[in-house]
Amino acid sequence: MSALSPDGGSLPAPRAKRALLLILLLGLAIRLVGFTDPWSGRADDFHSHFGAFATGGPATNFAEHGLAESLGMPYDWRLALEDGTYIHGWYSHHPALYMWLSGASVAVFGLEPWALRLPALLLSLFSILAVERLASFVWGRRIGVLAALFMAVLPYSVRHGMQVWTEPAIAGTTCLLVRDYLAWLRDGRLRHLVTGAGWLAAGGLLDWPAHFILPAIGLHALVVCVRDGGWPRLRQTLILPVASLATIGLHAAHMHFAVGAEGSAADRGHTLSGVMGLPEGMELSVFVMRQLGNVLRYCGGPATALLAAAALWQSVLALRGRFDREDWMLPALALPGVMYVALFPGRSHNHDFFLVVSLGYIAISLALAWTGVERLAARALGRSAQTVTSILLVMLGSWCLWLDTVEWFRHRSPQMAELVEEPWLAEWIDDPDAVILTHMGRGMALPFYSRAQVVHSVDRAARLRYLCDTVLPELKTGTRVAMLVDLTWAPALADWPQIEQELRGRGELRLFETEYGPFALVDLSAAVPDSSPTDH
């Protein structure tokens, strides 16, 4: 019997199934709040960043232009050249599977925010099921139901579970991989490892953190096999790193054929240089406290305290030698999130969702800790303990739901939905043959809404000059080009004085006042052969 679950997590199967169904319905209802909201365009809203730009841009491009032209490689923008070819702004440093799913959903259901959120919704519900499957298998059905409940209501899971990216799905595939690995340890049947390799491959085709559980599984398998004398069995686990390397190789080959060897190398170098180190001036202590603050924010005070107690309790049991071989895979579930944060501090310092890939650890630890609370209450309160702990559990769940609501209200905004309806902007973004340049700011939220191609991150004067002097003259004759300037954000750009001077030398800055601040539009069509600035 596991020291983490001394009572075996007993719960009759029919009751467990009914409870899980109710939890899934609750999780679905929570996640449908804001399901149709427009992307906010707020700088601190990663839902908007991914929905309107990072995922939304490539997904809508796939929906509108298909997969064949780019060989299925995601891209932010494509520019038609005079010779009939295209140049692309590739988004090639992540596997393409999630973009394909998102593009297919938008192609089927239309250019609506909820269509882009639909894969996220389904994968978030999948992660709840996956956590329940692992927890029930190892620590008992009651632990599985409680873990599913925490997975359904924690703001970490609700808020970031509906972010249109891969972390919740990877949390789910990781849990199912661990379950299959432990099933193999129990009965030695190779089919469990084959299924686990399938879950690893599925996660690996979504994004890189899916591979981060492998060191823990490898070390665990090595220790178990050394202790039990099962060296022949250890060789069977090689199917897992083979599956991992196969998915990495598949993406490398995809990059090579779609982007080319030079483009692949440049993309990897540019990406890694920007994510591997802490931002200049940020102290390690500040970085660590920010990560802990994310846990507090997205778990809430009571759940964070319970999680801290659970981690301490697990450490004591482990040091006293009371963990069995399956218990050790619980802390192993924390490794992917910790590695994700630690390996890429250039992103994780402000990407507050990296730990989501370890939601399995958080949800199961909370479930196990809650049963510990129930045992303590039973000793102290006797027959009334069940009533008291049930009320406390409802209060804890209600607090999580309140935090979910707070996060929803904090970020929602109609500004982008209203800005794209402004006539001066609509005439550009509704033109599929136009090109819009934009810098870091609310223009970054245009790709989902724009049928014009949006070339983003024009944050340096040198990049603006390169585009105007080298790229625009090669565009298809008659292509209209403009630079959108968000005057609320632009002054914060390091190169803004030079960018402003460059723009004024190439066209008139037409100013537009909106409810959400001033914008400027500069017609750069004169840089395109046989084109002229739009007559207004």
Side-chain angles (χ1 to χ4, degrees):
M1 183 178 294
S2 168
L4 291 174
S5 182
D7 61 358
S10 58
L11 187 69
R15 286 185 59 190
K17 289 180 180 179
R18 288 194 295 270
L20 180 59
L21 177 59
L22 291 175
I23 289 169
L24 286 172
L25 291 174
L26 173 63
L28 174 63
I30 300 168
R31 285 157 178 77
L32 287 178
V33 175
F35 189 59
T36 62
D37 282 358
W39 310 114
S40 72
R42 290 171 53 101
D44 60 347
D45 183 8
F46 277 99
H47 275 232
S48 174
H49 180 77
F50 277 90
F53 162 58
T55 303
T60 54
N61 278 329
F62 279 154
E64 293 178 334
H65 306 294
L67 298 177
E69 177 196 295
S70 67
L71 299 180
M73 182 59 71
Y75 57 93
D76 293 325
W77 44 263
R78 67 198 274 277
L79 304 182
L81 303 183
E82 181 64 24
D83 62 5
T85 62
Y86 295 92
I87 56 173
H88 297 80
W90 298 110
Y91 191 82
S92 58
H93 47 277
H94 294 280
L97 179 58
Y98 192 86
M99 299 294 192
W100 294 350
L101 296 174
S102 300
S105 183
V106 172
V108 172
F109 298 109
L111 289 166
E112 299 290 343
W114 69 263
L116 196 62
R117 289 187 177 107
L118 183 59
L121 172 65
L122 297 176
L123 292 171
S124 185
L125 296 176
F126 158 76
S127 70
I128 297 174
L129 281 171
V131 166
E132 185 277 333
R133 292 293 293 161
L134 171 61
S136 294
F137 180 76
V138 181
W139 296 284
R141 283 191 289 266
R142 189 161 188 276
I143 302 301
V145 168
L146 285 171
L149 176 61
F150 284 114
M151 198 73 169
V153 302
L154 279 176
Y156 240 140
S157 181
V158 175
R159 178 68 187 166
H160 297 308
M162 288 305 295
Q163 184 163 287
V164 291
W165 198 230
T166 59
E167 280 78 14
I170 291 174
T173 59
T174 298
C175 285
L176 293 178
L177 164 59
V178 170
R179 183 191 185 281
D180 285 320
Y181 164 69
L182 293 177
W184 169 78
L185 280 182
R186 288 186 184 183
D187 63 24
R189 294 180 181 177
L190 184 60
R191 65 179 177 85
H192 296 306
L193 283 182
V194 172
T195 305
W199 288 119
L200 175 60
L205 291 173
L206 287 168
D207 208 359
W208 309 120
H211 303 277
F212 294 166
I213 189 64
L214 278 182
I217 291 179
L219 179 60
H220 187 270
L222 179 63
V223 170
V224 170
C225 290
V226 167
R227 186 188 66 185
D228 298 344
W231 285 106
R233 293 186 67 197
L234 183 63
R235 289 197 297 268
Q236 294 183 355
T237 62
L238 292 177
I239 191 175
L240 299 179
V242 167
S244 174
L245 291 173
T247 59
I248 294 172
L250 186 62
H251 179 65
H254 189 196
M255 285 185 69
H256 178 80
F257 285 111
V259 183
E262 183 177 345
S264 298
D267 184 88
R268 285 194 298 270
H270 174 74
T271 301
L272 292 175
S273 67
V275 302
M276 297 296 285
L278 279 173
E280 185 176 352
M282 176 173 283
E283 299 290 336
L284 180 61
S285 59
V286 174
F287 174 77
V288 172
M289 291 306 297
R290 184 170 293 182
Q291 303 307 316
L292 296 175
N294 290 336
V295 177
L296 178 61
R297 174 179 174 181
Y298 291 114
C299 287
T304 300
L306 189 63
L307 181 62
L312 179 62
W313 175 44
Q314 292 164 25
S315 301
V316 170
L317 291 177
L319 290 172
R320 293 177 63 182
R322 296 183 60 190
F323 265 21
D324 66 23
R325 68 181 187 181
E326 294 186 357
D327 289 336
W328 282 104
M329 289 311 298
L330 176 60
L333 289 173
L335 181 63
V338 173
M339 286 184 64
Y340 201 13
V341 168
L343 289 175
F344 307 118
R347 288 289 182 269
S348 58
H349 79 279
N350 67 351
H351 286 45
D352 55 8
F353 52 88
F354 278 20
L355 283 174
V356 171
V357 296
S358 287
L359 271 176
Y361 170 76
I362 294 173
I364 296 172
S365 293
L366 289 174
L368 290 165
W370 189 257
T371 60
V373 171
E374 291 175 331
R375 288 192 295 274
L376 291 175
R379 294 173 189 168
L381 302 176
R383 298 176 62 182
S384 62
Q386 184 175 358
T387 301
V388 171
T389 54
S390 296
I391 292 172
L392 289 175
L393 184 60
V394 171
M395 291 174 63
L396 179 57
S398 299
W399 179 247
C400 288
L401 295 178
W402 167 251
L403 293 178
D404 294 332
T405 306
V406 168
E407 287 296 324
W408 175 52
F409 274 110
R410 175 182 294 168
H411 292 101
R412 67 195 305 256
S413 169
Q415 65 173 323
M416 285 310 301
E418 295 179 6
L419 282 172
V420 296
E421 296 295 329
E422 293 276 347
W424 58 270
L425 183 56
E427 69 165 304
W428 284 91
I429 66 174
D430 291 342
D431 181 358
D433 296 320
V435 175
I436 298 175
L437 313 184
T438 189
H439 56 85
M440 184 65 70
R442 282 168 290 185
M444 297 283 284
L446 283 181
F448 179 84
Y449 293 103
S450 178
R451 307 292 58 84
Q453 292 297 306
V454 179
V455 180
H456 60 81
S457 302
V458 186
D459 301 331
R460 296 286 183 178
R463 176 165 168 78
L464 176 60
R465 282 192 295 271
Y466 168 76
L467 290 169
C468 289
D469 296 339
T470 306
V471 177
L472 299 191
E474 300 296 323
L475 296 185
K476 183 179 177 181
T477 298
T479 300
R480 297 197 305 150
V481 184
M483 174 89 176
L484 176 68
V485 182
D486 182 345
L487 291 170
T488 302
W489 279 66
L493 297 175
D495 274 13
W496 171 238
Q498 296 93 326
I499 291 174
E500 182 180 20
Q501 182 179 6
E502 189 75 28
L503 289 172
R504 289 188 182 279
R506 296 179 182 272
E508 177 189 0
L509 271 74
R510 299 170 53 225
L511 300 177
F512 301 94
E513 290 292 337
T514 75
E515 180 182 350
Y516 303 103
F519 290 81
L521 199 65
V522 183
D523 195 329
L524 301 174
S525 301
V528 181
D530 297 324
S531 297
S532 59
T534 305
D535 185 18
H536 296 279

